[in-house]
């Protein structure tokens, strides 16, 4: 059990340990939140209040790939633009999810830490109407990480008028709580098979899309989903899974990989918009050659960006939350890392789902000097 928890939480533990042992010259020097103070996600910049509901989906046609004696089940958080907030703040995680994830980090964090994080959405708020339906963003979290770790980005999209579905891929995270009282752990973390993870998540994404659309849609949050405007945004394993998801399902019009190694055969051209956004090690000719290999197979609109002074978890809620704990994950200020992620990811999705002109994606800008654009013409020689 100790070995499994180290594997699941190793990324967070390593990031914190590394940061604490090195200088944080670029970080905000404000003191950490006092003990007992609840952590708070950065507020979204859009003008819509944000509603959130959670649905349980079961694919009766498919055995779970990690526990074959069960059918594939998913928990999905749905965020959406609302008319006004409800009286019930949306929790970040359940108490059981928080306990499992806190234990998985191996950092002796309080069991209830993540259950107490304050969000900017409310439960079952009255949905706003949208002429022509809502564009949809599907979010897929990192391996071993609960879907809640992308809540800030989800709320940002919803406040800007998007429907958002954060997918809890069962047995690929610590933990996922179900309506019957179960909270599952990361069974897949015991024997990591990353190509299988990508294939499973591609199936999960198509299944969720099926369930959110059509005559028997589980999406009952006001305006229907516009199936001509669908994007996938993922972190780490969720990011590399975007490619097999696009190859499998033509409904996915655009996708973003936030700092995930491309762990799949990089030999199939893809002619749809794609954004690669990563830490400084993810540059042309860097240690992860899968980014170079994938770049050559992207034949449509594409951008390759890296962000100075960031790490693997800088593109999740953990960047601003760790800052509040006084244990920053990277040299770049956690709130700044969060703002960069939100700004560039939403600009990309706005461009390709809403047809908006976003000069931000044309090249470097003094507004965000940390963001570097890369455009290799060929794979560097070994």
């Amino acid at each position: 059990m100790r070995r499994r928890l180290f594997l699941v939480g190793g990324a967070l533990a390593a990031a914190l340990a590394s940061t604490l042992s090195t200088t944080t010259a670029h970080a905000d020097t404000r003191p950490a939140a006092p003990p007992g103070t609840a952590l708070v996600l950065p507020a979204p910049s859009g003008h819509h209040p944000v509603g959130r509901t959670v649905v349980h989906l079961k694919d009766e046609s498919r055995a779970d790939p990690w526990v074959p004696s069960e059918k594939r089940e998913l928990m999905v958080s749905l965020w959406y633009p609302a008319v006004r907030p409800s009286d019930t703040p949306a929790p970040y995680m359940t108490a059981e999810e928080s306990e499992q994830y806190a234990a998985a980090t191996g950092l002796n964090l309080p069991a209830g830490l993540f259950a107490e994080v304050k969000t900017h959405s409310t439960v079952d708020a009255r949905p706003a109407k949208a002429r022509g339906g809502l564009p949809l963003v599907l979010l897929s979290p990192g391996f071993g990480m609960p879907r809640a770790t992308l809540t800030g980005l989800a709320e940002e999209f919803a406040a800007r008028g998007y429907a958002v579905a954060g997918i809890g891929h069962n047995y690929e995270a610590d933990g996922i709580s179900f309506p019957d009282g179960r909270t599952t752990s990361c069974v897949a973390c015991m024997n990591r098979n990353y190509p299988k993870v990508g294939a499973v998540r591609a199936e999960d994404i198509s299944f969720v899309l099926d369930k959110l659309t059509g005559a028997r849609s589980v999406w009952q949050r006001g305006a229907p989903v516009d199936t001509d405007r669908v994007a996938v945004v993922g972190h780490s394993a969720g990011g590399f899974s975007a490619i097999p998801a696009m190859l499998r399902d033509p409904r996915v019009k655009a996708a973003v990989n936030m700092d995930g190694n491309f762990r799949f055969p990089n030999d199939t051209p893809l002619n749809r918009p794609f954004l690669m956004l990563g830490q400084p090690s993810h540059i042309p000719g860097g240690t992860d050659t899968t980014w170079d290999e994938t770049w050559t197979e992207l034949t449509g609109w594409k951008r390759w960006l890296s962000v100075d002074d960031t790490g693997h978890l800088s593109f999740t809620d953990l960047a601003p939350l760790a800052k509040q704990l006084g244990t920053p994950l990277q040299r770049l200020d956690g709130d700044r890392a969060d703002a960069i992620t939100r700004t560039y990811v939403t600009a990309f999705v706005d461009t390709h789902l809403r047809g908006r002109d976003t000069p931000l994606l044309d090249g470097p800008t003094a507004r965000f000097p940390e963001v570097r654009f890369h455009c290799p013409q060929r794979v560097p020689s070994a």
Side-chain angles (χ1 to χ4, degrees), residues 138 205-206 209 227 229-232 242 245-255 270 272-273 353:
L138 296 153
I205 287 167
S206 289
L209 255 175
T227 54
R229 296 188 292 167
V230 176
V232 170
M246 295 183 85
L247 293 174
R248 171 189 174 87
D249 199 323
R251 292 175 295 180
V252 180
K253 305 302 182 185
L270 178 63
R272 271 173 276 168
L353 295 194

mmCIF file of all heavy atoms in Angstrom, residues 138 205-206 209 227 229-232 242 245-255 270 272-273 353:
data_model
loop_
_atom_site.group_PDB
_atom_site.id
_atom_site.type_symbol
_atom_site.label_atom_id
_atom_site.label_comp_id
_atom_site.label_asym_id
_atom_site.label_seq_id
_atom_site.Cartn_x
_atom_site.Cartn_y
_atom_site.Cartn_z
ATOM 1 N N LEU A 138 -14.617 19.164 -22.577
ATOM 2 C CA LEU A 138 -14.438 17.963 -21.763
ATOM 3 C C LEU A 138 -13.054 18.030 -21.119
ATOM 4 O O LEU A 138 -12.049 18.211 -21.814
ATOM 5 C CB LEU A 138 -14.544 16.714 -22.629
ATOM 6 C CG LEU A 138 -15.915 16.480 -23.292
ATOM 7 C CD1 LEU A 138 -15.766 15.680 -24.564
ATOM 8 C CD2 LEU A 138 -16.849 15.778 -22.334
ATOM 9 N N ILE A 205 -14.305 9.360 -23.112
ATOM 10 C CA ILE A 205 -14.686 10.659 -23.667
ATOM 11 C C ILE A 205 -15.834 10.506 -24.656
ATOM 12 O O ILE A 205 -16.811 11.269 -24.629
ATOM 13 C CB ILE A 205 -13.457 11.343 -24.299
ATOM 14 C CG1 ILE A 205 -12.514 11.832 -23.189
ATOM 15 C CG2 ILE A 205 -13.866 12.497 -25.219
ATOM 16 C CD1 ILE A 205 -11.142 12.243 -23.669
ATOM 17 N N SER A 206 -15.762 9.518 -25.531
ATOM 18 C CA SER A 206 -16.857 9.283 -26.476
ATOM 19 C C SER A 206 -18.139 8.910 -25.758
ATOM 20 O O SER A 206 -19.235 9.358 -26.131
ATOM 21 C CB SER A 206 -16.474 8.176 -27.467
ATOM 22 O OG SER A 206 -15.487 8.618 -28.367
ATOM 23 N N LEU A 209 -19.625 11.994 -24.210
ATOM 24 C CA LEU A 209 -20.234 12.788 -25.284
ATOM 25 C C LEU A 209 -21.589 12.220 -25.679
ATOM 26 O O LEU A 209 -22.560 12.963 -25.878
ATOM 27 C CB LEU A 209 -19.293 12.818 -26.497
ATOM 28 C CG LEU A 209 -18.518 14.102 -26.741
ATOM 29 C CD1 LEU A 209 -17.558 13.917 -27.910
ATOM 30 C CD2 LEU A 209 -19.434 15.270 -26.976
ATOM 31 N N THR A 227 -23.102 19.978 -30.509
ATOM 32 C CA THR A 227 -22.154 18.910 -30.852
ATOM 33 C C THR A 227 -21.180 19.301 -31.955
ATOM 34 O O THR A 227 -20.223 18.566 -32.212
ATOM 35 C CB THR A 227 -22.913 17.643 -31.281
ATOM 36 O OG1 THR A 227 -23.833 17.970 -32.339
ATOM 37 C CG2 THR A 227 -23.681 17.059 -30.112
ATOM 38 N N ARG A 229 -19.430 21.967 -31.606
ATOM 39 C CA ARG A 229 -18.425 22.773 -30.908
ATOM 40 C C ARG A 229 -18.004 22.058 -29.631
ATOM 41 O O ARG A 229 -18.492 22.326 -28.543
ATOM 42 C CB ARG A 229 -18.984 24.165 -30.596
ATOM 43 C CG ARG A 229 -19.299 24.988 -31.841
ATOM 44 C CD ARG A 229 -19.652 26.426 -31.479
ATOM 45 N NE ARG A 229 -20.918 26.527 -30.751
ATOM 46 C CZ ARG A 229 -21.317 27.635 -30.120
ATOM 47 N NH1 ARG A 229 -20.539 28.712 -30.094
ATOM 48 N NH2 ARG A 229 -22.498 27.649 -29.501
ATOM 49 N N VAL A 230 -17.096 21.092 -29.804
ATOM 50 C CA VAL A 230 -16.628 20.272 -28.689
ATOM 51 C C VAL A 230 -15.100 20.272 -28.670
ATOM 52 O O VAL A 230 -14.451 20.072 -29.698
ATOM 53 C CB VAL A 230 -17.125 18.816 -28.821
ATOM 54 C CG1 VAL A 230 -16.552 17.945 -27.694
ATOM 55 C CG2 VAL A 230 -18.646 18.761 -28.819
ATOM 56 N N ALA A 231 -14.533 20.496 -27.486
ATOM 57 C CA ALA A 231 -13.077 20.442 -27.306
ATOM 58 C C ALA A 231 -12.736 19.560 -26.121
ATOM 59 O O ALA A 231 -13.540 19.406 -25.190
ATOM 60 C CB ALA A 231 -12.502 21.842 -27.095
ATOM 61 N N VAL A 232 -11.553 18.965 -26.152
ATOM 62 C CA VAL A 232 -11.019 18.197 -25.030
ATOM 63 C C VAL A 232 -9.790 18.924 -24.511
ATOM 64 O O VAL A 232 -8.907 19.304 -25.292
ATOM 65 C CB VAL A 232 -10.645 16.764 -25.441
ATOM 66 C CG1 VAL A 232 -9.865 16.061 -24.336
ATOM 67 C CG2 VAL A 232 -11.894 15.961 -25.779
ATOM 68 N N ALA A 242 -5.899 13.105 -25.268
ATOM 69 C CA ALA A 242 -6.653 13.914 -26.223
ATOM 70 C C ALA A 242 -6.418 13.457 -27.662
ATOM 71 O O ALA A 242 -7.332 13.513 -28.494
ATOM 72 C CB ALA A 242 -6.287 15.388 -26.079
ATOM 73 N N ALA A 245 -8.380 10.323 -28.371
ATOM 74 C CA ALA A 245 -9.793 10.718 -28.353
ATOM 75 C C ALA A 245 -10.188 11.377 -29.666
ATOM 76 O O ALA A 245 -11.260 11.101 -30.226
ATOM 77 C CB ALA A 245 -10.061 11.666 -27.184
ATOM 78 N N MET A 246 -9.334 12.236 -30.202
ATOM 79 C CA MET A 246 -9.633 12.903 -31.474
ATOM 80 C C MET A 246 -9.600 11.921 -32.636
ATOM 81 O O MET A 246 -10.421 11.998 -33.558
ATOM 82 C CB MET A 246 -8.640 14.040 -31.720
ATOM 83 C CG MET A 246 -8.740 15.171 -30.719
ATOM 84 S SD MET A 246 -7.604 16.529 -31.100
ATOM 85 C CE MET A 246 -8.581 17.474 -32.272
ATOM 86 N N LEU A 247 -8.649 10.994 -32.598
ATOM 87 C CA LEU A 247 -8.560 10.006 -33.674
ATOM 88 C C LEU A 247 -9.771 9.076 -33.664
ATOM 89 O O LEU A 247 -10.210 8.612 -34.718
ATOM 90 C CB LEU A 247 -7.274 9.197 -33.537
ATOM 91 C CG LEU A 247 -5.964 9.968 -33.761
ATOM 92 C CD1 LEU A 247 -4.765 9.086 -33.458
ATOM 93 C CD2 LEU A 247 -5.884 10.500 -35.191
ATOM 94 N N ARG A 248 -10.314 8.829 -32.482
ATOM 95 C CA ARG A 248 -11.464 7.937 -32.349
ATOM 96 C C ARG A 248 -12.780 8.635 -32.674
ATOM 97 O O ARG A 248 -13.684 8.029 -33.251
ATOM 98 C CB ARG A 248 -11.519 7.404 -30.908
ATOM 99 C CG ARG A 248 -12.779 6.628 -30.562
ATOM 100 C CD ARG A 248 -12.859 6.318 -29.073
ATOM 101 N NE ARG A 248 -14.133 5.691 -28.748
ATOM 102 C CZ ARG A 248 -14.364 4.396 -28.820
ATOM 103 N NH1 ARG A 248 -13.410 3.573 -29.202
ATOM 104 N NH2 ARG A 248 -15.560 3.916 -28.505
ATOM 105 N N ASP A 249 -12.895 9.928 -32.319
ATOM 106 C CA ASP A 249 -14.196 10.601 -32.338
ATOM 107 C C ASP A 249 -14.119 11.930 -33.085
ATOM 108 O O ASP A 249 -13.556 12.903 -32.572
ATOM 109 C CB ASP A 249 -14.673 10.837 -30.901
ATOM 110 C CG ASP A 249 -16.161 11.101 -30.820
ATOM 111 O OD1 ASP A 249 -16.697 11.764 -31.727
ATOM 112 O OD2 ASP A 249 -16.795 10.648 -29.836
ATOM 113 N N PRO A 250 -14.682 12.005 -34.290
ATOM 114 C CA PRO A 250 -14.622 13.238 -35.076
ATOM 115 C C PRO A 250 -15.412 14.389 -34.472
ATOM 116 O O PRO A 250 -15.274 15.527 -34.925
ATOM 117 C CB PRO A 250 -15.206 12.822 -36.428
ATOM 118 C CG PRO A 250 -16.069 11.638 -36.127
ATOM 119 C CD PRO A 250 -15.383 10.922 -35.006
ATOM 120 N N ARG A 251 -16.222 14.119 -33.455
ATOM 121 C CA ARG A 251 -16.955 15.210 -32.807
ATOM 122 C C ARG A 251 -16.029 16.142 -32.034
ATOM 123 O O ARG A 251 -16.391 17.290 -31.761
ATOM 124 C CB ARG A 251 -18.033 14.636 -31.882
ATOM 125 C CG ARG A 251 -19.160 13.927 -32.596
ATOM 126 C CD ARG A 251 -20.117 13.274 -31.602
ATOM 127 N NE ARG A 251 -19.492 12.199 -30.840
ATOM 128 C CZ ARG A 251 -20.101 11.466 -29.918
ATOM 129 N NH1 ARG A 251 -21.377 11.713 -29.622
ATOM 130 N NH2 ARG A 251 -19.461 10.498 -29.282
ATOM 131 N N VAL A 252 -14.854 15.653 -31.660
ATOM 132 C CA VAL A 252 -13.891 16.493 -30.950
ATOM 133 C C VAL A 252 -13.180 17.366 -31.974
ATOM 134 O O VAL A 252 -12.391 16.879 -32.782
ATOM 135 C CB VAL A 252 -12.881 15.642 -30.160
ATOM 136 C CG1 VAL A 252 -11.894 16.548 -29.429
ATOM 137 C CG2 VAL A 252 -13.598 14.724 -29.178
ATOM 138 N N LYS A 253 -13.460 18.661 -31.938
ATOM 139 C CA LYS A 253 -12.968 19.574 -32.970
ATOM 140 C C LYS A 253 -11.592 20.143 -32.668
ATOM 141 O O LYS A 253 -10.883 20.579 -33.584
ATOM 142 C CB LYS A 253 -13.955 20.736 -33.154
ATOM 143 C CG LYS A 253 -15.384 20.298 -33.454
ATOM 144 C CD LYS A 253 -15.479 19.446 -34.706
ATOM 145 C CE LYS A 253 -16.936 19.079 -35.002
ATOM 146 N NZ LYS A 253 -17.051 18.142 -36.150
ATOM 147 N N ALA A 254 -11.215 20.209 -31.381
ATOM 148 C CA ALA A 254 -9.941 20.809 -30.994
ATOM 149 C C ALA A 254 -9.542 20.243 -29.640
ATOM 150 O O ALA A 254 -10.392 19.761 -28.879
ATOM 151 C CB ALA A 254 -10.063 22.328 -30.920
ATOM 152 N N ALA A 255 -8.241 20.303 -29.318
ATOM 153 C CA ALA A 255 -7.795 19.718 -28.050
ATOM 154 C C ALA A 255 -6.529 20.387 -27.549
ATOM 155 O O ALA A 255 -5.760 20.984 -28.314
ATOM 156 C CB ALA A 255 -7.581 18.214 -28.192
ATOM 157 N N LEU A 270 -2.948 14.033 -37.766
ATOM 158 C CA LEU A 270 -4.185 14.581 -37.203
ATOM 159 C C LEU A 270 -4.367 16.000 -37.726
ATOM 160 O O LEU A 270 -3.565 16.886 -37.418
ATOM 161 C CB LEU A 270 -4.122 14.585 -35.679
ATOM 162 C CG LEU A 270 -5.337 15.178 -34.951
ATOM 163 C CD1 LEU A 270 -6.590 14.355 -35.235
ATOM 164 C CD2 LEU A 270 -5.076 15.247 -33.451
ATOM 165 N N ARG A 272 -6.578 18.487 -37.114
ATOM 166 C CA ARG A 272 -7.494 19.312 -36.340
ATOM 167 C C ARG A 272 -6.692 20.154 -35.346
ATOM 168 O O ARG A 272 -5.573 19.770 -34.973
ATOM 169 C CB ARG A 272 -8.524 18.433 -35.598
ATOM 170 C CG ARG A 272 -9.777 18.147 -36.416
ATOM 171 C CD ARG A 272 -10.685 17.148 -35.717
ATOM 172 N NE ARG A 272 -10.263 15.785 -35.981
ATOM 173 C CZ ARG A 272 -10.718 14.711 -35.340
ATOM 174 N NH1 ARG A 272 -11.615 14.852 -34.382
ATOM 175 N NH2 ARG A 272 -10.288 13.500 -35.653
ATOM 176 N N PRO A 273 -7.232 21.291 -34.910
ATOM 177 C CA PRO A 273 -6.457 22.209 -34.057
ATOM 178 C C PRO A 273 -5.989 21.553 -32.764
ATOM 179 O O PRO A 273 -6.756 20.855 -32.086
ATOM 180 C CB PRO A 273 -7.443 23.344 -33.784
ATOM 181 C CG PRO A 273 -8.399 23.309 -34.935
ATOM 182 C CD PRO A 273 -8.552 21.859 -35.268
ATOM 183 N N LEU A 353 -13.704 27.028 -31.255
ATOM 184 C CA LEU A 353 -15.112 26.679 -31.070
ATOM 185 C C LEU A 353 -16.036 27.871 -31.316
ATOM 186 O O LEU A 353 -17.208 27.684 -31.652
ATOM 187 C CB LEU A 353 -15.371 26.127 -29.668
ATOM 188 C CG LEU A 353 -14.701 24.794 -29.287
ATOM 189 C CD1 LEU A 353 -15.339 24.233 -28.024
ATOM 190 C CD2 LEU A 353 -14.745 23.776 -30.408
#
